[in-house]
């Protein structure tokens, strides 16, 4: 939080690297929950964390919050010469270069570690700047462990510090005064001198800050310790508070984080978990009564329209947390790589391990979850050897809001994070055949996907058996089809959706064959990454894939069925949305209205060629 002399409105956070962005979200929630003033966040991040946090804040749309990012890679050379044993690595040294990194116009800033939870309005901490006197430029809380006293173990030799030293998890910096004091030169000379005997830092920037303060005690304004209640093992943190109301800032400054030993650790842990699972949508409340752009858009809709809730969903901005778990992808040299794209909610988590076993290539998944469910998913994933062994699965959390399952929004989120040339557009309740990944990659080359507009159709089947001996070949699948163990997908309830695939021809086909679009066609396809997005107006159940396939046809994509590919739908309980579709007549009426409006849009965009969609629908 920093200011140019007016009302408090700027904050700064240090992100260690991409793996700590989830901690930042919890910290931000705790700050936003208590705040009553505008805020400006300054993040020092690597490129991945910037992408994740930028998307999160853009979709969060919290009023009176501004965000700036600074590239950690550009700053590494400033501190990489310092040997450091701290678990935060090189990122733990970057607080030293803030006077050089942050804009000159910033006069003051609050610097925070990511493992902090606020229990009060940060404006109270900001007000402490007015208590600085003389040459004081650093606001710090005394270190609450015995580290700098040098008595933790035999031959323990910490860096020099004033008394118990100071903890740098929370710092108030007067940037303008620090620059006048030539802070850059001051800390560098101190570090160079001490490293001649100490050889490396143990506590990263904290060691260097304390060594500078030892030589220049006048620089420090000591903060009351409730502004940084340090919960590492064997600290004196209990002396910082007598009652819950005394707490201001809680700092999990041990490598063990929530598993430290402390008399009141259960209370602190529960406070942290409250913000961890807190519904972030509630923090979107307006501070000053100014309507947001979203509110202005929604005000233009007719609330008396019986399909108002459907139309509203199209404009709802869902908080989106990209790459909720660590993701690694090595691009393919032959430009034929394919990413499986799917979306799911909490009730389909059990499909993840099976899909990972069937598809070895990259996967992009959008998960529709509440904040609390996101933590349940995290525990589930971290407890799964199968999921943790896969670094090429991107998990993107789209947080719940509204009455409908935003199926096409979720698909679009997952599609936008695809970084391979091609994508296989699937659903989470389908298992691809073993080897489909490699088969699709070969098909890319054989069918010249790079220079032609093709949608490769993967024939879809289904089983009603929860325990299926999954066919390992086309011959085995045909055998199960003949025995009634398998069926063509939706054969009993919605034959039109996949009839154009021509399953009779597929049975004997040995080469790819072209099929024509027909009304209500909704196959599962592989397409280039630059193919059109799904239409967001379709939510819940009905027409969500049909509209997308229609658009592919309008853009003159050729539908080609692969003769040796297949996928199988696994049985599960009906979704909430399909139940609503079947039981609610108004739901069906609104879906019909949306279909008609979509077709009219198609006519405007694609002209005479799109008339066939109106005719086909009327004749179906």
């Amino acid at each position: 939080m920093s200011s140019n002399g007016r009302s408090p409105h700027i904050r700064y956070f240090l992100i260690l690297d991409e793996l700590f962005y989830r901690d930042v979200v919890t910290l931000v929630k705790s700050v936003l929950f208590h705040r009553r003033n505008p805020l400006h966040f300054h993040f020092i991040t690597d490129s991945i964390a910037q992408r994740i946090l930028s998307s999160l804040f853009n979709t969060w749309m919290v009023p009176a919050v501004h965000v700036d990012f600074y590239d950690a890679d550009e700053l590494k050379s400033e501190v990489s010469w310092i040997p450091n044993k701290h678990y935060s690595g090189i990122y733990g040294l970057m607080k030293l270069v803030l006077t050089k990194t942050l804009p000159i116009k910033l006069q003051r800033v609050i610097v925070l570690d990511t493992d902090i939870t606020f229990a009060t309005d940060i404006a109270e901490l900001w007000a402490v700047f007015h208590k600085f006197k003389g040459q004081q430029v650093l606001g710090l809380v005394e270190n609450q462990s015995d580290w700098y006293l040098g008595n933790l173990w035999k031959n323990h030799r910490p860096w020099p510090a004033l008394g118990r030293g100071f903890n740098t998890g929370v710092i108030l910096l007067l940037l303008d005064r620090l620059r006048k004091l030539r802070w850059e030169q001051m800390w560098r000379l101190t570090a160079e001198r001490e490293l001649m005997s100490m050889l490396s830092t143990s506590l990263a920037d904290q060691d260097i800050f304390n060594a500078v303060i030892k030589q220049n005690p006048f620089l420090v304004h000591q903060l009351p310790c409730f502004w940084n209640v340090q919960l590492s093992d064997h600290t004196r943190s209990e002396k910082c508070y007598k009652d819950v109301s005394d707490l201001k800032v809680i700092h999990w400054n041990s490598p063990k984080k929530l598993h430290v030993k402390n008399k009141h650790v259960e209370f602190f842990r529960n406070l942290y978990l409250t913000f961890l699972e807190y519904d972030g949508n509630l923090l979107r409340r307006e501070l000053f009564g100014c309507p947001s752009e979203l509110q202005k858009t929604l005000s233009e809709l007719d609330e008396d329209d019986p399909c108002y809730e459907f139309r509203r969903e199209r404009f709802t901005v869902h908080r989106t947390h990209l790459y909720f778990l660590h993701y690694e992808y090595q691009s393919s040299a032959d430009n034929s790589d394919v990413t499986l794209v799917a979306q799911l909610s909490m009730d389909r988590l059990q499909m993840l391990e099976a899909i990972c076993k069937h598809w070895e290539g990259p996967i992009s998944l959008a998960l529709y979850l509440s904040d609390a469910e996101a933590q349940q998913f995290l525990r589930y994933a971290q407890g799964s050897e199968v999921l943790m062994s896969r670094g090429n699965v991107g998990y993107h959390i789209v947080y719940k809001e509204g009455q409908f399952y935003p199926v096409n929004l979720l698909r679009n989120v997952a599609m936008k994070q695809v970084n391979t040339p091609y994508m296989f557009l699937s659903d989470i309740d389908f298992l691809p055949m073993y080897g489909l990944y490699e088969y699709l990659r070969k098909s890319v080359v054989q069918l010249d996907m790079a220079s032609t507009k093709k949608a490769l159709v993967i024939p879809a089947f289904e089983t009603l058996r929860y325990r299926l001996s999954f066919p390992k070949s086309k011959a085995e699948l045909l055998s199960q089809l003949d025995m009634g163990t398998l069926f063509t997908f939706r054969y009993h309830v919605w034959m039109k959706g996949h009839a154009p695939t021509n399953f009779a021809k597929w049975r004997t086909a040995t080469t790819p064959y072209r099929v024509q679009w027909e009304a209500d066609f909704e196959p599962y396809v592989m397409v280039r990454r630059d193919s059109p997005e799904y239409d967001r107006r379709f939510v819940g159940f009905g027409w969500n894939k049909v509209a997308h396939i229609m658009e592919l046809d309008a853009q003159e994509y050729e539908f080609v069925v692969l003769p040796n590919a297949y996928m199988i739908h696994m049985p599960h309980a009906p979704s909430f949305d399909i139940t609503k579709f079947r039981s609610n007549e108004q739901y069906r009426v609104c879906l019909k209205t949306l279909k008609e409006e979509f077709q009219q849009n198609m006519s405007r965009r694609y002209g005479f060629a799109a008339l066939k969609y109106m005719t086909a629908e009327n004749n179906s």
Side-chain angles (χ1 to χ4, degrees), residues 239-357:
K239 296 186 177 181
C240 294
Y241 57 89
K242 292 182 180 179
D243 189 73
V244 172
S245 60
D246 297 334
L247 294 169
K248 304 289 187 183
V249 174
I250 300 160
H251 186 189
W252 302 91
N253 65 319
S254 164
K256 293 191 289 185
K257 300 305 176 191
L258 270 64
H259 303 292
V260 294
K261 297 176 182 177
N262 181 282
K263 184 177 180 181
H264 303 117
V265 72
E266 280 303 314
F267 172 82
F268 294 125
R269 188 182 291 120
N270 288 335
L271 183 64
Y272 172 84
L273 293 175
T274 296
F275 287 113
L276 184 71
E277 300 188 355
Y278 186 81
D279 183 354
N281 294 328
L282 299 177
L283 298 168
R284 286 172 161 173
R285 62 183 184 271
E286 297 292 338
L287 290 184
F288 310 111
C290 300
S292 66
E293 288 301 315
L294 177 59
Q295 288 174 320
K296 291 176 184 176
T297 302
L298 293 177
S299 68
E300 296 173 4
L301 297 177
D302 179 6
E303 292 191 32
D304 294 327
D305 180 350
C307 299
Y308 170 79
E309 290 299 335
F310 283 86
R311 301 190 192 285
R312 175 191 172 94
E313 184 61 41
R314 189 177 182 184
F315 300 102
T316 300
V317 180
H318 292 263
R319 269 184 310 139
T320 303
H321 191 148
L322 304 177
Y323 300 101
F324 195 68
L325 298 178
H326 183 58
Y327 177 76
E328 291 180 8
Y329 165 74
Q330 297 295 327
S331 59
S332 171
D334 60 8
N335 293 318
S336 66
D337 213 352
V338 184
T339 298
L340 185 151
V341 172
Q343 40 70 39
L344 67 151
S345 52
M346 199 68 183
D347 59 342
R348 298 287 186 265
L349 278 188
Q350 74 278 4
M351 291 297 298
L352 292 180
E353 288 190 347
I355 286 178
C356 285
K357 291 176 181 177

Side-chain angles (χ1 to χ4, degrees), residues 371-405:
D371 292 76
E373 286 174 340
Q375 296 310 311
Q376 294 175 41
F377 160 70
L378 179 62
R379 291 190 290 271
Y380 170 82
Q382 291 177 335
S384 166
E385 290 184 16
V386 173
L387 301 189
M388 285 296 96
S389 67
R390 294 287 296 272
N392 63 348
V393 180
Y395 299 97
H396 315 296
I397 308 296
V398 176
Y399 288 98
K400 285 183 175 179
E401 186 173 7
Q403 296 186 28
F404 301 100
Y405 184 77

Side-chain angles (χ1 to χ4, degrees), residues 134-158:
Q135 292 182 284
Q136 292 176 347
V137 291
L138 303 169
L140 292 161
V141 169
E142 185 180 57
N143 202 49
Q144 289 159 24
S145 78
D146 290 345
W147 178 270
Y148 287 109
L149 299 180
N151 58 9
L152 293 182
W153 60 79
K154 187 178 181 181
N155 299 325
H156 174 217
R157 189 163 162 259

Side-chain angles (χ1 to χ4, degrees), residues 594-607:
L594 295 175
K595 285 165 57 175
E596 292 169 353
E597 292 175 357
F598 173 77
Q599 288 168 330
Q600 291 166 5
N601 291 155
M602 291 282 285
S603 296
R604 284 193 289 271
R605 275 185 289 165
Y606 299 106

